[in-house]
Amino acid sequence: MEAKLNADKTDWSPFPYLDDQDVISVQRGPEPGGLPGAYRAFGETLRGLKTTFGRIIEGPVTIQYPEEKTPVYPRFRGRHKLHRFEDTGLEKCVGCSLCAAACPADCIRVVAEENDPENRVSAGERFAEVYEINLSRCIFCGYCEVACPFDAITMGHDYEMSDYNRSDLIFTKEMLLAEPIDRTPLRSEGE
Amino acid sequence: MLLGEVDFVESTGVMVVKSVLIFIGVFLIVPVLTVVERKLIGRFQARYGPNRVGPGGVMQPLADVGKLLGKQVFRPENAIAFLYAIAPGLVILSGILTLAIIPFGNVEDGVGLYGIDVSIGVLYFFAFSSFAFYGLLLAGWASGSKYSFLGAMRSAAQLISYEVSMGLALLGVVMMAGSLSMTSIVEAQGSIWYVVPQFVGFLIFMISGFAETNRSPFDLPEADAELVQGFQTEYGGMRFGSFLLAEYLEMFVVSGIAVTFFLGGWMGPGPPWLDPVWVVVKILSLIFVFIWVRATLPRVRYDQLMSLGWKVMLPLATLNVLVTAILVTVL
Ligand code: SF4
Ligand code: SF4
């Protein structure tokens, strides 16, 4: 039979097969059983043993969760934070309710109030008298952050928000303004 | 004589004391083994394993036993009460009886550091280690559950495919040592451990040992994925714990036999009082291999197990025995 290897014509094909054959035989490893099979099984067993032993030498990769926290990415959308101006200490939120309007889960409640010029709470004309986010309904989409014209609300990095009571999951303005008790570690650059 | 001759006998008092010592010693090692196994398997899978109970998780066995003791004692309605109850006992009994012949040292100051030194050591081992399978069969049959029954059938099939090659693997050593007694076999390894001339026998014995102890990759009788623990399915609480205990005990015994036959028993550098330490160290390193293999290999299929037993191990073991016989006669 004129054996003309396909590999001569197209250099990309790794499988040499005959040009004039419609049916080609597939190359397989040795069938189980017999000397080649036993040799292969033995060799692969040793390779497997080496692989698992390598894990012992490399050591565990577990993150011991309650003690160590899983680091999150910088753009991770965790629990919200409300912000103040760093110089004056006034709240950035002016109670415009745009975040509440943008929220697809309808979980933000804002009640605005006029600012007292003597004793300002926020930098604008009005401030948020009540600002509540019901975290049991929030889907952490981040639309509120995008909607806010003053960058008053941003998504933080906290993800430990379980509680025993649904009502405890309604976060008030004071809770959102306060720094989280535990800071969540951030992943390092390029990780 | 029906029971075979016993080479060396002490007074009854000494016998009792040393039996109790060996018994307690091994039963202290077994719970440690469970936690060591879980921690090691964790390391093999790049995780920690149990580390919450006590410093570094060392109290885990206590917590496990406490949990098992707290379980309701339960028996399925169509189980055969008596057989169901004695099956775990039989399995443990088999482990304890075979433990008796593992030598931890030579005769020192008139006391042999072993349970008993029978002149038919190998036969004794086979007689009583196969005993465990009666326990498994009874457990599977008496539970009145189809998963248990399947597990029991598998263990029976496994037994007949492996006992023969296991026996033949040890036969090579017996022929080289010219004795069936455990102590004489160890003493015959003064110049070279039998693992070197009998390497094939050692491999076959260890592979059969995996089957004998129902451990991965031959844990078909208790395949937790498809048979939900096989013959143990209907067992709970401390009865389940007994099976677990028996498994580790058997692992210890099989490693002990392998150490005695192939790894020079108590032979090792150092003064004679180090002998038992050497035995335990060797046994523990073999148990490490058991755990290592468990962490590595997947469970084989039923037909693969059969064909490995009958088509590979048995001819290989027979060949090994033939070659050894010829060499022993010629040399
Ligand atoms: S993250 Fe989305 S769902 Fe949650 S409060 Fe903001 S807008 Fe609403
Ligand atoms: S957080 Fe931003 S969008 Fe929401 S009420 Fe305050 S200022 Fe308006």
Side-chain angles (χ1 to χ4, degrees):
Chain A
M1 196 193 300
E2 269 297 293
K4 195 153 148 277
L5 290 182
N6 184 44
D8 297 342
K9 274 196 301 192
T10 50
D11 47 358
W12 52 266
S13 169
F15 302 113
Y17 57 87
L18 300 175
D19 219 16
D20 51 351
Q21 274 179 337
D22 291 336
V23 182
I24 57 165
S25 66
V26 181
Q27 285 190 341
R28 293 178 201 274
E31 291 291 318
L35 207 57
Y39 179 74
R40 185 195 179 109
F42 192 66
E44 295 295 299
T45 304
L46 291 185
R47 206 159 67 95
L49 289 172
K50 177 177 147 252
T51 306
T52 42
F53 199 78
R55 297 291 92 72
I56 282 204
I57 293 174
E58 286 161 17
V61 294
T62 316
I63 293 172
Q64 296 280 311
Y65 168 58
E67 290 95 37
E68 294 169 48
K69 286 195 192 171
T70 317
V72 297
Y73 289 97
R75 288 171 63 184
F76 180 83
R77 297 194 299 264
R79 202 205 81 183
H80 312 69
K81 277 191 224 162
L82 283 175
H83 295 277
R84 295 175 189 274
F85 286 105
E86 266 164 29
D87 42 355
T88 55
L90 294 175
E91 286 169 18
K92 283 186 177 176
C93 173
V94 295
C96 68
S97 296
L98 282 177
C99 50
C103 178
D106 202 10
C107 61
I108 305 184
R109 185 167 83 100
V110 186
V111 176
E113 189 65 56
E114 293 293 327
N115 253 326
D116 177 4
E118 306 295 305
N119 187 16
R120 304 182 74 87
V121 180
S122 80
E125 254 176 57
R126 303 199 298 169
F127 72 101
E129 165 85 86
V130 176
Y131 193 98
E132 284 176 357
I133 299 184
N134 185 349
L135 284 182
S136 65
R137 294 186 61 178
C138 172
I139 57 170
F140 298 95
C141 60
Y143 282 10
C144 46
E145 180 183 26
V146 178
C148 179
F150 297 100
D151 285 345
I153 187 162
T154 57
M155 308 298 281
H157 294 140
D158 268 14
Y159 51 80
E160 290 175 317
M161 284 165 290
S162 345
D163 222 316
Y164 291 103
N165 236 319
R166 284 188 192 194
S167 53
D168 290 342
L169 284 169
I170 300 175
F171 275 56
T172 60
K173 193 171 83 173
E174 286 67 39
M175 295 157 86
L176 293 168
L177 277 167
E179 279 294 318
I181 305 162
D182 290 316
R183 293 199 140 263
T184 309
L186 274 186
R187 280 178 191 267
S188 55
E189 196 71 32
E191 196 183 330
Chain B
M1 192 178 166
L2 191 62
L3 285 173
E5 290 156 37
V6 175
D7 285 350
F8 181 78
V9 195
E10 298 97 341
S11 62
T12 317
V14 177
M15 288 286 267
V16 169
V17 168
K18 75 182 186 185
S19 313
V20 169
L21 276 185
I22 292 179
F23 189 76
I24 290 180
V26 171
F27 268 70
L28 284 182
I29 291 181
V30 164
V32 178
L33 277 186
T34 62
V35 69
V36 165
E37 156 150 50
R38 289 172 66 184
K39 284 194 84 80
L40 268 179
I41 290 226
R43 295 285 163 158
F44 277 124
Q45 296 167 351
R47 57 187 173 85
Y48 285 100
N51 62 354
R52 295 283 143 166
V53 192
V58 289
M59 305 305 274
Q60 188 67 40
L62 275 187
D64 289 346
V65 168
K67 188 201 84 172
L68 286 176
L69 281 178
K71 296 273 178 179
Q72 184 192 357
V73 180
F74 174 78
R75 180 168 58 80
E77 211 171 276
N78 46 1
I80 303 163
F82 176 64
L83 297 180
Y84 179 82
I86 64 163
L90 275 184
V91 182
I92 287 202
L93 187 70
S94 138
I96 294 172
L97 284 175
T98 32
L99 187 64
I101 57 163
I102 293 176
F104 287 93
N106 207 347
V107 180
E108 278 162 30
D109 302 328
V111 180
L113 296 178
Y114 37 74
I116 188 171
D117 182 22
V118 282
S119 59
I120 50 159
V122 187
L123 299 181
Y124 181 100
F125 166 66
F126 280 113
F128 286 111
S129 66
S130 324
F131 215 64
F133 280 91
Y134 287 102
L136 306 197
L137 274 174
L138 277 186
W141 188 57
S143 300
S145 139
K146 45 182 170 290
Y147 288 125
S148 307
F149 190 64
L150 278 173
M153 287 299 105
R154 281 183 180 192
S155 74
Q158 194 164 311
L159 172 76
I160 54 167
S161 355
Y162 281 87
E163 282 287 300
V164 188
S165 1
M166 198 175 199
L168 288 176
L170 291 186
L171 200 56
V173 170
V174 169
M175 281 193 294
M176 287 187 76
S179 166
L180 287 168
S181 145
M182 307 297 252
T183 46
S184 334
I185 287 173
V186 175
E187 266 156 14
Q189 297 178 64
S191 52
I192 186 165
W193 292 358
Y194 283 150
V195 65
V196 183
Q198 286 289 325
F199 187 68
V200 177
F202 177 66
L203 275 189
I204 293 174
F205 181 82
M206 283 310 279
I207 295 175
S208 320
F210 293 131
E212 175 88 10
T213 50
N214 293 327
R215 285 185 58 91
S216 185
F218 303 125
D219 53 350
L220 289 155
E222 54 188 68
D224 41 354
E226 72 247 34
L227 287 188
V228 276
Q229 290 291 324
F231 61 91
Q232 310 172 359
T233 305
E234 302 299 339
Y235 282 87
M238 230 22 228
R239 282 180 180 158
F240 175 75
S242 319
F243 277 121
L244 212 62
L245 179 86
E247 183 184 324
Y248 285 93
L249 199 60
E250 266 178 53
M251 199 157 80
F252 193 89
V253 169
V254 168
S255 306
I257 298 287
V259 165
T260 311
F261 275 80
F262 296 101
L263 296 180
W266 63 75
M267 302 278 173
W273 59 265
L274 264 179
D275 288 352
V277 179
W278 277 116
V279 175
V280 172
V281 164
K282 287 173 187 174
I283 290 182
L284 290 184
S285 23
L286 277 188
I287 288 178
F288 177 80
V289 174
F290 269 87
I291 297 172
W292 188 6
V293 166
R294 178 178 166 191
T296 306
L297 296 181
R299 182 180 308 126
V300 298
R301 232 172 34 223
Y302 191 65
D303 55 321
Q304 292 170 332
L305 173 103
M306 286 303 194
S307 63
L308 180 68
W310 290 113
K311 291 187 196 162
V312 181
M313 308 256 290
L314 190 58
L316 214 58
T318 317
L319 205 66
N320 183 42
V321 167
L322 275 179
V323 171
T324 315
I326 292 168
L327 287 183
V328 165
T329 334
V330 169
L331 296 180

